[in-house]
Amino acid sequence: MLSSSLGLVSTPRAGSSSLSSSRDYTKLKSSRYLGRRLSFESNYDVDGLIFLVTSLIENIPHDLDGGSNFMAARTSWCTKQLPIKVTCRSQKLLRHHVFSSRIPVYQRVEHNSPISAILTDDNSTMVSAEDDTENIGILSIDPGLEPFKDHFKCRVRKYVEQKRLLENYEGSLEEFAKGYLNFGFTRGEGGIVYREWAPAAEEAQLIGDFNGWDGTNHKMEKNQFGVWSIKIPDSDGIPVIPHNSRVKFQFKLGNGVWIDRIPAWIKYATVDPTRFAAPYDGVYWDPPPSERYEFKYPRPPKPHAPRIYEAHVGMSGSEPGVSSYREFADNVLPRIRANNYNTVQLMAVMEHSYYASFGYHVTNFFAVSSRSGTPEDLKYLIDKAHSLGLRVLMDVVHSHASNNVTDGLNGYDVGQGSQDSYFHTGDRGYHALWDSRLFNYANWEVLRFLLSNLRWWLEEYKFDGFRFDGVTSMLYHHHGINMTFTGNYSEYFSETTDVDAVVYLMLANCLVHNILPDATVIAEDVSGMPGLSLPVVMGGIGFDYRLAMGIPDQWMDYLKNKKDEEWSMKEILWSLTNRRYTENCVAYAESHDQAIVGDKTMAFLLMDKEMYSGMSSLTDASPTVDRGIALHKMIHFITMAIGGDGYLNFMGNEFGHPEWIDFPREGNGWSYEKCRRQWNLVDTEHLRYKFMNAFDRAMNMLDEKFQFLASTKQIVSSTNEEDKVIVFERGDLVFVFNFHPENTYEGYKVGCGWPGKYRVALDSDAWECGGHGRVGHDVDHFTSPEGIPGVPETNFNNRSNSFKVLSPACTCVVYYRVEESEEECNNIESINDNKTLVANRAAKLENLEELVVASNEGEHNVVESKLEDPKKNPEVEETEKRSQDEVEVTEKGTPDD
């Protein structure tokens, strides 16, 4: 049963616009529609398009409504070319209306192509790559991609060939990804072995605290592949290199100059905090068994849909400064669990020397960020999350590397050719906007390094998956810079596509899911490349989800540039449903991107300076605060409800964290004031932040109980511009959003598919969520038939049933259908409660008799202390009244068990 104290009514469980980011992509636009190309020329009729797609849904046999065969039936018509030409002269809104079907990416995939054996089975007998690329699954899903069949054949062929080479020379993809067992520092029999790939070096040696930084006696040897190695025998059974001591790789260039670098595969790196801008040092990390953290809890099962809490450990504390992994585990993880999230996404885990990069300029790929603690501390955090039932995803950065030379991977690029470097040479190896280096994904050792990096984080730290950063930059040679994606498929599949990077991502997704079948892997891509979130077996790239990056930009545009009465319900819905129906998306209203310095959080945009003075619940809320809290709840919830197949929230936004994020830098005097989370705001009982937090908890619990995010049923029945009301069904629920700033509608008719009785499941206007308590939670809403089932023109808003509701201004209310079995259960519970109360009453009367007897035996003083006059005791008086009423009901013939 759900807690009504959170505004979530107790119920039983039921059966592209301009996209911008201050960090990466600028002025990118995206438009995709049912896998078809759209042309944009003049004006368009959004209402007509919505009606047509809704009508198509309604033409599915009515008995499939909400049934298990709904997705299959819808797929049969969604893949056909629709007789629609959408035109639009304005570049303001390049979007389209799609009702998303959720197809599991790594389950129940049917395929008849011979390519499937190679794409999924490492032990299969390999056949000709030419034969394997004729039947590609994605082309049957989206016939509009047929003109690009040669492109898909090319990339699939390269993937198959690359995978075969790895198997022939390394044993398997999984074995190839165990590079960390051979490279960097490893413990061998009787000593420490160190290996480093540095083909441009003329000579090399190992230096560190253990040899006084003099490598004369620790020269390394080079093999034919450019790999340097050395074995350092133990001394009297004790490692010569102590645990937690500093080390570096020193090598000589062709010009005779010796340079020092942090080992590329180093597991830990630290910096002297007392020295300003001090360089990092590599640290040999091999703790004794007594200091090594041992995992105690298993990984939680994969949820039906991810509800993700995006978090940055360093800025997670209330006080200005850098928080630790253990502080986050003990103080923040319980908050996340209490708000009913099922997944934590950790940012800035990989070591990065520049804190203000938000962790995206990685210097040491196998090392945890030492600002927040040691590798053992991070293991404690992940184990603690698992103990709470939370899965943990890592924000992995394989799209680029820090430009730093002394402490980063870039230090190994000393002017050699790309075949001997981690990076491309020239302009191809440099990202102009990010000032960072770009990997050469065709290089054998680069593949070993990056694929091993993924396996390292999965196996050593027990992460449950990844969110790949900067995928758009990887997919295209232009990296998305000054690029506008209009939806024309040639923008995705042409000579501008970086096929080497695509093949790497296919290998990466194959590897991750082979090692951990229940892994969750998400792509941060703004372009919307078709096939990105389809399985590799179908010719896709293999991600489980893509971030729906256009949604937050749409909300920010509305909040900054439009009055409430100018909000378009069709535009809002358009942006929320603008996705390919066969590929899963994670929706979010705001993330860390929207709050970076120079911008504001959504709550701060809504309420601005009144967040400093008007958040006390001891006085009436001002119109600004009242509107701000109401819209904050509605925007986040409608984004979750219909924006995708998963949901993401950034740390603190669930309760309306004010202001912005600003890391310490020279421009702010190296201050941490804006680089923290003010948990005291939501913890203070008389402040209104608690209301937004309560609603966030309730909407997550709604999905926990009804699993609507994972539902394939998504039907929009109304987008009324005059009323400012959106009505849709997701799963077994009916959602009613009233965005009108003033109008409350009594007896507002809403359409639904199933007849019966509906009740409130979630109410943003509940007192507990900072609302005004205008919607009755104990009201039964009975449906009325609307025309002929399956004949849309006779229905109400294309729905065969309807019921009437109260819809206050600036609120959202969710309704669920009451099942007959639930009614019977409630009746039985009520009868049992009646019997219990009658029995309790009888026991009380018996107790009274015993007390009277005791008083007659001389225990009068004791009796007086226990017995009061029932007539003066309101609790007893009320119990008597209830008992009489209940007995009366039972005597009138209420059914028994």
Side-chain angles (χ1 to χ4, degrees):
M1 303 294 283
L2 307 184
S3 173
S4 60
S5 64
L6 295 178
L8 191 59
V9 179
S10 297
T11 60
R13 182 169 178 170
S16 195
S17 64
S18 176
L19 310 180
S20 62
S21 166
S22 58
R23 178 171 52 80
D24 43 25
Y25 314 109
T26 57
K27 299 181 180 178
L28 297 176
K29 298 181 181 179
S30 173
S31 183
R32 297 153 303 282
Y33 176 70
L34 295 178
R36 304 300 308 167
R37 289 169 56 180
L38 304 183
S39 62
F40 297 87
E41 298 168 1
S42 56
N43 295 325
Y44 66 94
D45 182 6
V46 177
D47 202 20
L49 180 58
I50 292 174
F51 174 78
L52 175 57
V53 178
T54 307
S55 298
L56 284 168
I57 289 177
E58 286 305 308
N59 283 325
I60 297 172
H62 185 70
D63 59 358
L64 292 178
D65 194 350
S68 60
N69 294 323
F70 182 83
M71 184 176 70
R74 181 169 51 183
T75 301
S76 67
W77 60 260
C78 276
T79 55
K80 298 178 182 177
Q81 183 171 356
L82 302 180
I84 304 173
K85 183 176 182 181
V86 180
T87 57
C88 176
R89 178 176 301 163
S90 170
Q91 293 296 309
K92 179 179 180 181
L93 184 66
L94 299 181
R95 295 198 181 276
H96 36 275
H97 202 83
V98 180
F99 296 88
S100 171
S101 272
R102 186 175 186 272
I103 295 180
V105 173
Y106 283 89
Q107 300 176 13
R108 301 188 299 277
V109 176
E110 297 180 2
H111 47 83
N112 299 314
S113 167
I115 189 178
S116 61
I118 280 186
L119 296 185
T120 59
D121 185 0
D122 287 329
N123 300 317
S124 62
T125 301
M126 299 301 175
V127 293
S128 169
E130 291 290 340
D131 297 335
D132 292 333
T133 56
E134 287 305 315
N135 300 312
I136 299 175
I138 188 174
L139 302 182
S140 62
I141 290 179
D142 184 359
L145 293 171
E146 190 68 30
F148 305 94
K149 182 176 182 179
D150 288 342
H151 175 94
F152 282 96
K153 289 173 62 176
C154 173
R155 80 182 193 187
V156 169
R157 185 182 302 113
K158 290 194 68 170
Y159 166 80
V160 171
E161 291 173 348
Q162 184 67 70
K163 194 162 181 282
R164 178 182 295 130
L165 287 172
L166 295 178
E167 290 165 349
N168 289 343
Y169 292 99
E170 301 283 352
S172 69
L173 176 62
E174 290 75 24
E175 286 297 316
F176 182 61
K178 291 181 178 178
Y180 52 83
L181 298 180
N182 296 302
F183 285 82
F185 292 92
T186 59
R187 281 290 296 169
E189 184 177 349
I192 297 172
V193 178
Y194 171 59
R195 293 186 181 90
E196 197 72 70
W197 181 62
E202 296 292 328
E203 297 181 43
Q205 56 193 24
L206 181 62
I207 59 176
D209 290 331
F210 75 99
N211 62 9
W213 300 94
D214 182 359
T216 304
N217 296 324
H218 294 92
K219 299 287 186 179
M220 302 178 69
E221 296 181 353
K222 182 182 182 181
N223 68 11
Q224 69 269 33
F225 303 110
V227 177
W228 295 86
S229 64
I230 184 174
K231 181 176 180 179
I232 305 174
D234 294 342
S235 177
D236 296 329
I238 300 175
V240 171
I241 305 178
H243 161 63
N244 206 17
S245 63
R246 297 176 297 167
V247 290
K248 280 196 174 181
F249 175 63
Q250 188 176 67
F251 62 97
K252 187 171 74 172
L253 305 179
N255 59 7
V257 176
W258 285 82
I259 57 177
D260 303 343
R261 295 293 182 259
I262 293 179
W265 298 71
I266 200 71
K267 307 303 190 299
Y268 194 46
T270 59
V271 65
D272 184 353
T274 64
R275 292 173 54 199
F276 179 77
Y280 274 70
D281 291 305
V283 173
Y284 175 67
W285 191 261
D286 185 23
S290 60
E291 299 177 19
R292 190 173 294 126
Y293 187 86
E294 298 292 338
F295 287 92
K296 303 177 182 65
Y297 301 94
R299 286 185 169 102
K302 188 173 185 176
H304 294 279
R307 298 188 300 274
I308 302 170
Y309 194 89
E310 184 185 38
H312 186 287
V313 172
M315 58 172 289
S316 65
S318 294
E319 299 300 322
V322 179
S323 292
S324 72
Y325 297 120
R326 288 183 176 268
E327 288 172 335
F328 182 90
D330 295 338
N331 301 329
V332 181
L333 285 179
R335 293 178 181 273
I336 300 172
R337 179 66 273 180
N339 271 41
N340 300 311
Y341 289 91
N342 56 33
T343 306
V344 182
Q345 178 182 302
L346 292 182
M347 307 171 63
V349 172
M350 306 163 84
E351 187 59 88
H352 50 289
S353 61
Y354 183 43
Y355 191 41
S357 73
F358 238 127
Y360 291 115
H361 278 218
V362 175
T363 46
N364 310 111
F365 285 75
F366 287 82
V368 306
S369 178
S370 58
R371 288 182 184 85
S372 294
T374 68
E376 311 313 306
D377 294 333
L378 177 59
K379 293 175 184 177
Y380 170 81
L381 184 161
I382 295 172
D383 203 28
K384 180 69 172 289
H386 288 169
S387 75
L388 296 172
L390 293 167
R391 286 163 60 90
V392 187
L393 307 183
M394 177 178 153
D395 211 342
V396 69
V397 185
H398 283 184
S399 51
H400 63 129
S402 169
N403 203 26
N404 289 17
V405 172
T406 58
D407 50 16
L409 199 61
N410 189 35
Y412 287 83
D413 190 340
V414 290
Q416 71 271 37
S418 61
Q419 71 275 10
D420 292 330
S421 173
Y422 287 99
F423 310 106
H424 286 293
T425 58
D427 291 342
R428 190 177 178 189
Y430 178 72
H431 197 294
L433 286 184
W434 296 347
D435 186 29
S436 57
R437 298 303 309 275
L438 300 173
F439 288 105
N440 176 8
Y441 299 105
N443 188 297
W444 191 274
E445 293 304 327
V446 173
L447 288 178
R448 186 197 309 274
F449 183 83
L450 295 177
L451 291 171
S452 297
N453 190 236
L454 297 174
R455 181 160 195 164
W456 167 255
W457 292 110
L458 287 176
E459 298 204 335
E460 181 70 13
Y461 292 94
K462 308 299 181 187
F463 279 98
D464 302 292
F466 301 100
R467 177 263 201 190
F468 274 71
D469 178 71
V471 170
T472 303
S473 176
M474 300 174 69
L475 295 176
Y476 310 101
H477 292 301
H478 53 64
H479 311 300
I481 300 174
N482 298 323
M483 178 64 190
T484 297
F485 291 93
T486 65
N488 189 316
Y489 280 3
S490 63
E491 296 164 354
Y492 306 114
F493 310 111
S494 68
E495 67 280 356
T496 65
T497 306
D498 190 337
V499 177
D500 291 336
V502 170
V503 169
Y504 163 67
L505 291 172
M506 294 169 73
L507 290 168
N509 279 300
C510 179
L511 171 73
V512 170
H513 287 98
N514 283 350
I515 295 172
L516 185 62
D518 282 344
T520 298
V521 191
I522 303 170
E524 187 220 29
D525 169 49
V526 73
S527 74
M529 174 183 277
L532 186 69
S533 299
L534 282 179
V536 173
V537 68
M538 301 179 70
I541 296 179
F543 287 99
D544 297 295
Y545 297 89
R546 177 183 66 84
L547 286 181
M549 300 180 68
I551 294 174
D553 295 300
Q554 179 82 2
W555 287 124
M556 292 300 165
D557 175 57
Y558 266 45
L559 293 176
K560 293 177 181 179
N561 303 315
K562 293 190 176 184
K563 299 178 181 179
D564 292 1
E565 55 270 22
E566 296 174 341
W567 287 24
S568 168
M569 301 301 100
K570 293 180 177 62
E571 282 189 3
I572 289 174
L573 194 68
W574 190 271
S575 66
L576 290 171
T577 55
N578 174 29
R579 59 188 187 270
R580 295 175 62 81
Y581 74 97
T582 56
E583 302 186 37
N584 294 334
C585 291
V586 172
Y588 61 102
E590 56 179 335
S591 70
H592 65 277
D593 277 338
Q594 282 67 44
I596 292 177
V597 61
D599 215 325
K600 300 176 180 179
T601 64
M602 184 172 288
F604 208 52
L605 281 172
L606 286 165
M607 293 174 275
D608 205 59
K609 62 183 179 181
E610 293 204 28
M611 296 196 79
Y612 296 118
S613 58
M615 296 301 284
S616 173
S617 60
L618 301 179
T619 59
D620 292 338
S622 69
T624 298
V625 170
D626 194 48
R627 166 188 176 270
I629 292 177
L631 285 179
H632 187 275
K633 292 182 290 186
M634 294 181 70
I635 289 171
H636 284 81
F637 186 44
I638 195 172
T639 300
M640 177 193 198
I642 201 170
D645 312 279
Y647 177 69
L648 179 143
N649 169 74
F650 177 67
M651 178 175 63
N653 288 344
E654 70 275 11
F655 65 83
H657 200 287
E659 302 178 323
W660 53 87
I661 299 169
D662 191 7
F663 283 86
R665 54 189 173 84
E666 186 176 6
N668 65 13
W670 304 103
S671 170
Y672 287 86
E673 182 61 32
K674 296 291 191 296
C675 192
R676 61 190 178 111
R677 296 287 88 177
Q678 301 182 53
W679 302 109
N680 59 296
L681 296 176
V682 69
D683 292 341
T684 302
E685 184 61 28
H686 71 271
L687 295 183
R688 289 191 165 88
Y689 295 96
K690 66 179 182 182
F691 296 135
M692 290 176 280
N693 190 66
F695 186 75
D696 180 78
R697 183 186 307 126
M699 71 185 201
N700 281 322
M701 179 54 73
L702 186 73
D703 180 62
E704 181 74 19
K705 300 299 292 185
F706 288 94
Q707 297 179 6
F708 61 85
L709 275 174
S711 174
T712 62
K713 177 184 175 183
Q714 303 179 47
I715 300 174
V716 176
S717 60
S718 177
T719 51
N720 192 305
E721 294 289 10
E722 182 178 353
D723 297 343
K724 300 295 181 188
V725 173
I726 297 175
V727 180
F728 60 88
E729 295 159 67
R730 183 83 187 262
D732 297 322
L733 302 174
V734 179
F735 297 75
V736 181
F737 285 81
N738 180 356
F739 282 95
H740 201 288
E742 298 176 353
N743 290 356
T744 292
Y745 306 107
E746 188 172 356
Y748 196 83
K749 183 189 286 190
V750 299
C752 62
W754 290 101
K757 180 169 64 177
Y758 287 78
R759 291 176 181 159
V760 173
L762 177 64
D763 173 20
S764 71
D765 197 47
W767 290 106
E768 298 82 4
C769 297
H772 300 282
R774 290 166 288 187
V775 177
H777 295 176
D778 56 351
V779 177
D780 292 331
H781 303 269
F782 293 92
T783 61
S784 299
E786 296 287 348
I788 304 171
V791 184
E793 59 270 20
T794 68
N795 300 156
F796 173 73
N797 288 341
N798 300 316
R799 307 306 289 142
S800 54
N801 292 279
S802 70
F803 60 93
K804 294 183 178 181
V805 302
L806 173 66
S807 180
C810 283
T811 64
C812 50
V813 183
V814 185
Y815 299 87
Y816 77 100
R817 181 173 172 269
V818 181
E819 301 289 345
E820 291 183 5
S821 58
E822 176 194 339
E823 284 291 281
E824 295 173 0
C825 180
N826 289 341
N827 290 336
I828 292 172
E829 288 180 359
S830 177
I831 293 169
N832 289 336
D833 288 343
N834 291 341
K835 292 181 177 179
T836 300
L837 286 169
V838 171
N840 289 341
R841 172 58 179 163
K844 287 178 180 291
L845 293 175
E846 184 177 348
N847 188 40
L848 286 173
E849 293 175 359
E850 291 176 356
L851 289 172
V852 171
V853 171
S855 67
N856 293 332
E857 294 178 355
E859 299 179 5
H860 182 70
N861 292 335
V862 177
V863 172
E864 280 188 330
S865 65
K866 294 182 180 179
L867 182 63
E868 297 179 359
D869 184 355
K871 295 180 180 180
K872 296 181 179 179
N873 189 331
E875 182 178 347
V876 173
E877 195 171 15
E878 177 62 23
T879 301
E880 287 182 355
K881 183 178 184 300
R882 285 204 310 270
S883 298
Q884 291 171 358
D885 294 340
E886 288 147 8
V887 171
E888 189 175 324
V889 169
T890 304
E891 290 175 349
K892 287 181 179 179
T894 303
D896 245 348
D897 297 342

